[in-house]
Amino acid sequence: MNIERFFSEHLSSPSAAFTSSPSNCPSILPEEVRQVANLGWRVFPVSSLAKLTGNPDLLIGVATCEIFRLEQFAAEYPSCEWRVAIGPSSLCVLQVVGPKGSNSFAALSQDQGECLTLQSRRGDTAWAFFRWPAGLVLRASARELAPGVKILADGDSCPIPPSGGCVYLNPWEEVQAVPCWLRELGFETPDDAPGKNGTCACTLSLPGALPARSAFSEPAPEHPQGLSGLRSGATGAG
């Protein structure tokens, strides 16, 4: 083949490598996953193997907020479920399971007002998303706060919409700071003596109005209430 023919054949039409680029294909990444990734949440797919082995955290090590990488995962694992890696996302998630968890939650947070942080639900399990409190660590005994109530932190994950049956109950809300009662029960400063915690300098009054800005574009459909009308006091820094 002569040089002129070579260039004629290879430059007359786009390269196959470019025509098959993900940027030229319709995105199959769920919008809900894209939205939380834009907030900096580290997200990962639940592959068929993860489901088969009963280990939804099989791919937690590849959790990322990079849209391009998530697009690749969506193509590699079509129709997969999605989870958020709690620690790398700087989140603290309160998990409440079933009637026993609802009763425990009511006892822990009684008379603390209503909490308006982002919440999701699947089946009889609800999750409330909070920002990790700056400068504090989780007490060793605090992961299991009470029967049916657990704090999810580094090393944990939870499902996010649109994973099967998982919905946001209030997608218009922001992720709030950890409420005072939860700070007192679950956290301490790294140099605290065991069993002690720094004082949470905030009043236990109802939270004020939240900003109108929302991280999520669409409200959730009619759905049972999460965390029994999740309650808390006004939040401190964190």
Side-chain angles (χ1 to χ4, degrees), residues 15-52:
S15 164
F18 287 105
T19 57
S20 61
S21 169
S23 63
N24 292 329
C25 299
S27 173
I28 59 175
L29 183 68
E31 185 60 25
E32 297 94 331
V33 176
R34 184 184 302 275
Q35 288 170 340
V36 296
N38 287 333
L39 294 177
W41 292 18
R42 270 57 174 180
V43 182
F44 64 96
V46 181
S47 65
S48 297
L49 179 60
K51 292 181 180 180
L52 184 64

Side-chain angles (χ1 to χ4, degrees), residues 51-142:
K51 292 181 180 180
L52 184 64
T53 58
N55 179 17
D57 287 348
L58 183 64
L59 297 177
I60 193 171
V62 300
T64 182
C65 62
E66 296 180 359
I67 299 298
F68 175 74
R69 191 76 181 98
L70 294 172
E71 293 274 13
Q72 291 180 323
F73 288 148
E76 185 175 356
Y77 306 106
S79 303
C80 68
E81 295 190 353
W82 298 88
R83 298 178 74 89
V84 57
I86 307 299
S89 303
S90 298
L91 293 173
C92 166
V93 178
L94 190 66
Q95 175 179 280
V96 177
V97 181
K100 181 180 292 186
S102 296
N103 291 335
S104 296
F105 175 81
L108 291 171
S109 62
Q110 58 183 335
D111 302 323
Q112 300 302 302
E114 184 179 8
C115 180
L116 302 177
T117 197
L118 180 67
Q119 301 172 45
S120 66
R121 185 184 184 106
R122 180 161 75 174
D124 67 349
T125 302
W127 296 271
F129 298 87
F130 299 100
R131 301 192 302 272
W132 189 267
L136 298 182
V137 296
L138 189 65
R139 293 174 185 267
S141 61

Side-chain angles (χ1 to χ4, degrees), residues 161-172:
S163 299
C166 185
V167 297
Y168 290 117
L169 300 176
N170 53 352
W172 51 86

